[in-house]
Every structure is written in structure tokens, then in C-alpha cells.
Amino acid sequence: MSDLSKIRGLAFDLDGTLTDTAPGLSSALDLALQAQGLPPAGQTLISTWIGNGADILVERALTWAGAAPEPVLCRETRVLFDQFYAQTVEQGSRLFPQVKDTLSRLAARGLPMAVVTNKPTPFVAPLLASLGIDSYFSLIIGGDDVAAKKPHPAPIYLVLGKLGLYVEELLFVGDSRNDIMAAKAAGCPCVGMTYGYNYGEAIETSHPDYVLDRFADLLPILGWSSSDNQEA
């Protein structure tokens, strides 16, 4: 396992790591499919498509529905998805257990924290605010803020530059192989959470430095005590 004694900052994926956003995403995508005369896919299946950004999400849905994902159809469906997601994003999202309390404990240690997500940038800050965790993050990197999304390391390089950290000083926390691949490509130590989406795969298969079942378990691996009285 990687030595975390040098950690001076943390970066987190959003969907599947901090927040369970599958209900809102799946509702918006199903509405977009139906508006195009296509069948809805349902949350269980859509959850396995989350993680590469909205364009890939739409492309996967169209392919599943038997519609050739031609550029024009993809663009039209993406526009519909964005319109519907603006309506479903907040009520269709919730924090995973222990997230808010653990973020508060990390912030109390003075560690700068960032969100690094492939989600379209305009949705990210309002979502964090609606869930009451926006104040914990000094930096937000959305899918529109970099030329290459995860699993490319570009978003993590941007975090390192903005926070003034070396690679060994940033711990990246995610739930999917894209997160782990991006962290490894950048040279950062990484944590894989088992409760996320990850295309239906076990996060262990991506070989993160640490595999955790609970968000609060971040505290012990950083050398700090964790209370059993974490929020539900």
C-alpha cells in the first residue's frame, strides 16, 4: 500500500463516491429517450453506464435502445438530457452514508479538498450546495473544465497545479476504474470505494492502493481516529 504520510490534500470523484446520483440521472435519461420515441432503460441498467460524462452516457443509452448513435441524434438527445436533468438533479441525488461528517472532519484538519468529476460542470456546484457540502471544497473540476476527462490524468494534473501539490501529496478517492486509472496515470495514491457504480464491476479489479467499504474509513488510513457514531 502507498505511504499516505505525505498527504496534504484530497480529491474526490462525485457520482458514486460522494453522492448517489443514479436516481436523478436515470430519470433524466429515460425522459430524454422517451422524448425521442425510444424505450426507457431504467435505473438499474443506467447505473452501470455512469462515469464517463454525459455524452458517453447518452451514446450508451442510444446504442442499448437500438438507435444508431449518429452525431445529430446524440446532440439532440444530449440537449434533452440536460433539460430534464436540470429538473431532476437535486431531488434525484443524496449523499452516501458518512460523507458529510467525514468531510467535516477532514476540513477541520485544514486539508484542501477538490471535486473531480466527469459530470457537466454547470450541474456540479448547485448539486454540492443543495446537499450542504459545497463549503468543504476549495476547487471543483467538472467535465467541461478539461480537454480530456477521466480516465485521462488531465483533471488530476489541474488539481495538483491549482493546489500546489506534488503527486505524492494528493490522495484521490473514487468508485470506478476511470478514477483509479486517472490517479495511477497521474502518479497519485488512490482509494476505491466498493459501494459505487463502476459499470457493475468490483473496484478491486482496478487495483487501487486502498479499497474501502465505508467513506468514514478514510480517516483511519490517514492516521486519524474515526468515531462509530457517524451519520447514516
Side-chain angles (χ1 to χ4, degrees), residues 13-204:
D13 172 57
L14 182 58
D15 298 338
T17 300
L18 300 176
T19 58
D20 180 8
T21 49
L25 286 166
S26 59
S27 293
L29 187 58
D30 277 343
L31 288 168
L33 289 171
Q34 290 174 303
Q36 295 283 41
L38 298 170
Q43 182 177 325
T44 299
L45 182 57
I46 291 173
S47 293
T48 68
W49 300 337
I50 295 171
N52 293 95
D55 289 335
I56 301 299
L57 181 65
V58 165
E59 184 178 329
R60 287 172 175 154
L62 292 173
T63 300
W64 169 85
E70 300 293 340
V72 172
L73 180 59
C74 287
R75 285 195 298 271
E76 291 176 349
T77 308
R78 169 64 195 276
V79 169
L80 289 167
F81 169 78
D82 284 355
Q83 292 172 349
F84 288 123
Y85 193 45
Q87 303 167 21
T88 66
V89 57
E90 292 187 11
Q91 64 266 35
S93 304
R94 66 181 180 87
L95 293 174
F96 281 112
Q98 307 165 342
V99 165
K100 189 170 185 177
D101 187 68
T102 303
L103 290 175
S104 176
R105 290 164 182 258
L106 292 170
R109 296 277 179 165
L111 289 177
M113 294 187 285
V115 169
V116 180
T117 175
N118 287 345
K119 183 187 290 294
T121 301
F123 294 111
V124 180
L127 175 59
L128 295 175
S130 73
L131 295 169
I133 59 172
D134 54 315
S135 63
Y136 297 126
F137 301 105
S138 57
L139 179 63
I140 296 172
I141 306 296
D144 305 318
D145 296 323
V146 286
K149 301 179 178 65
K150 296 176 297 182
H152 196 283
I156 297 180
Y157 288 146
L158 185 56
V159 172
L160 292 168
K162 293 283 188 180
L163 298 184
L165 300 176
Y166 293 108
V167 291
E168 67 272 14
E169 296 175 330
L170 179 71
L171 179 64
F172 191 79
V173 182
D175 72 297
S176 79
R177 64 173 182 259
N178 281 344
D179 300 317
I180 307 309
M181 291 170 65
K184 287 181 175 293
C188 294
C190 56
V191 170
M193 304 308 253
T194 61
Y195 54 73
Y197 307 138
N198 198 29
Y199 318 106
E201 304 170 4
I203 193 62
E204 290 88 343

